[in-house]
Amino acid sequence: MTQLDLFAALEDEPEPIPATFAAAPEKPPVPSSPPAAAAVAQPRPRPRRTKPVSDPHGQAMRIGEAAAGVWHRQHGGTRIEVPVGIVAALALIRQRDESGPDLQAQILSQDDSQLIAMFREIWSTHWMHRPDLIDRARILHEWLNDEEIDNHRAYVVRAVTKAALEHGLFDLTGHADPYLRAQTDVLSPVMMLVRSSGAQQGLGEYHTPASVADAMANIVAAGTVMDIQLAVDAPQAGEHIHDPAAGSGGLLRSAAQHLREQGLDPAQFQWSMVDIDEIAAACAAVNSIIWMLGPRVTVACADSLASPNAVEDAMKHARAVFAHRDEMLGKARIIAAIRQTQQLLEQGTAVAA
């Protein structure tokens, strides 16, 4: 299988803090502004993703329409977490070298088994770094654990992948700059459009449009709501920002973008989200990685009214998930050491013979 350049340097990201939130540095780093377009030495089949999309919310909706349309036309079935999970996994990708081979073309050139293996690699790699959030998003990738993915499922997976990429998913999420990655919520339209309107109403889901969320963030930040001046203090690093009915996290995305516009780093704040819908909470968990909200993020799947301690319970679960990750890594290191020792012994035996 060809090795794809799927990830930016994840090892450079700070270790998440699932237990208690550590104190933030006194002077958080100022995030970079959207970089200027750089010259490319040789012609590229696609331009480098260095400029913001002119209508990110509209493009996100078109991606959702394309992915949902393909899923329904190709009779994908009732497991709507599959198309949502496909787009979520693709949105997690940050190409390490933007001047390298065209990642979209590489992905679409894979055969079915390679494509499925790629999706498994995306989720497993991110689980190593954020097991708490990837575990919360489990519903979006559990289908990849099926012993055998039949030909029809593989065909639909490819069709949804192709639709999302060809409608410009990487133009929204493929940036290294977090401000550009968080221009919009690409998962909310997919989730809404693959789910019937009746199912949405049954769950009480009414997702705030991204443009409305942006406007609300600006209004609150300005301290003005319906011409009533409010006393709103400037945000301070270390503060806790919470949404008890988060959906896929759209309001917090807007809040994070406003912080960046003020020269603040969202990673220096605490974030928590709660939603009763499992798929919405899973999307919020993935989005917190896409939008680079930082290590102090907790996502709970619960009824905020019936479960006032949902965030605290989610943090306890996160600690357990991190402990399990560390235990698995410890066992893997032992196994790797044993295998290395066996190889050295076999090499020594072969030389002696």
Side-chain angles (χ1 to χ4, degrees):
M1 175 178 176
T2 303
Q3 183 65 37
L4 301 184
D5 177 19
L6 295 177
F7 308 105
L10 289 175
E11 62 272 13
D12 293 337
E13 295 183 358
E15 178 71 10
I17 306 173
T20 55
F21 294 125
E26 294 181 1
K27 295 182 179 179
V30 178
S32 59
S33 59
V40 181
Q42 298 178 351
R44 301 281 301 142
R46 290 175 59 84
R48 301 174 96 184
R49 289 175 288 276
T50 54
K51 291 183 178 180
V53 174
S54 59
D55 180 20
H57 306 321
Q59 184 158 332
M61 183 60 67
R62 290 188 288 274
I63 291 169
E65 290 170 347
V70 165
W71 176 259
H72 292 306
R73 286 195 303 274
Q74 302 300 334
H75 306 289
T78 58
R79 295 185 66 179
I80 64 168
E81 65 271 17
V82 175
V84 179
I86 291 168
V87 178
L90 293 170
L92 283 169
I93 296 174
R94 278 184 289 154
Q95 187 170 359
R96 191 183 302 273
D97 180 7
E98 288 190 354
S99 63
D102 188 334
L103 183 57
Q104 175 174 318
Q106 286 185 295
I107 290 173
L108 295 178
S109 68
Q110 298 179 107
D111 63 31
D112 290 346
S113 62
Q114 290 173 333
L115 192 63
I116 296 299
M118 182 201 73
F119 282 116
R120 287 171 175 154
E121 180 186 357
I122 292 170
W123 289 109
S124 61
T125 300
H126 282 278
W127 180 84
M128 294 286 288
H129 292 267
R130 287 308 304 259
D132 55 331
L133 297 176
I134 299 303
D135 184 72
R136 176 60 63 202
R138 181 183 300 179
I139 191 173
L140 301 183
H141 53 83
E142 272 188 322
W143 59 274
L144 287 164
N145 295 329
D146 293 347
E147 290 187 5
E148 183 176 352
I149 296 177
D150 60 39
N151 291 336
H152 178 68
R153 171 60 55 81
Y155 173 79
V156 178
V157 167
R158 175 176 297 281
V160 173
T161 300
K162 186 172 185 288
L165 293 180
E166 291 189 345
H167 281 78
L169 178 62
F170 285 167
D171 293 330
L172 293 177
T173 62
H175 305 280
D177 190 306
Y179 187 86
L180 297 182
R181 285 174 67 79
Q183 291 178 90
T184 191
D185 179 355
V186 297
L187 300 185
S188 179
V190 180
M191 179 173 55
M192 288 190 300
L193 292 169
V194 297
R195 177 176 278 158
S196 69
S197 60
Q200 290 178 41
Q201 293 173 5
L203 289 166
E205 285 190 356
Y206 299 95
H207 291 261
T208 307
S211 56
V212 174
D214 288 341
M216 290 173 64
N218 291 332
I219 289 172
V220 172
T224 305
V225 179
M226 297 180 66
D227 297 328
I228 299 175
Q229 192 69 23
L230 301 177
V232 179
D233 295 331
Q236 300 294 322
E239 288 183 351
H240 186 178
I241 302 173
H242 173 68
D243 189 345
S248 56
L251 285 175
L252 296 195
R253 179 199 65 81
S254 297
Q257 291 296 80
H258 178 74
L259 291 175
R260 291 183 172 116
E261 290 164 0
Q262 300 303 308
L264 297 169
D265 184 356
Q268 305 304 318
F269 289 76
Q270 301 177 17
W271 304 87
S272 59
M273 295 174 265
V274 183
D275 200 89
I276 194 171
D277 175 43
E278 189 176 8
I279 295 180
C283 288
V286 174
N287 274 334
S288 69
I289 300 174
I290 296 171
W291 302 333
M292 299 176 70
L293 297 185
R296 302 167 179 84
V297 179
T298 303
V299 181
C301 182
D303 183 341
S304 293
L305 297 177
S307 305
N309 297 322
V311 173
E312 290 78 5
D313 292 342
M315 290 177 70
K316 292 178 182 177
H317 179 73
R319 288 196 294 272
V321 172
F322 270 95
H324 173 68
R325 190 274 312 263
D326 293 342
E327 180 183 0
M328 295 294 290
L329 286 177
K331 291 180 179 178
R333 291 189 184 101
I334 293 172
I335 293 172
I338 293 173
R339 287 178 177 173
Q340 185 177 20
T341 302
Q342 288 176 335
Q343 289 174 355
L344 292 174
L345 289 172
E346 290 171 358
Q347 291 172 1
T349 303
V351 171

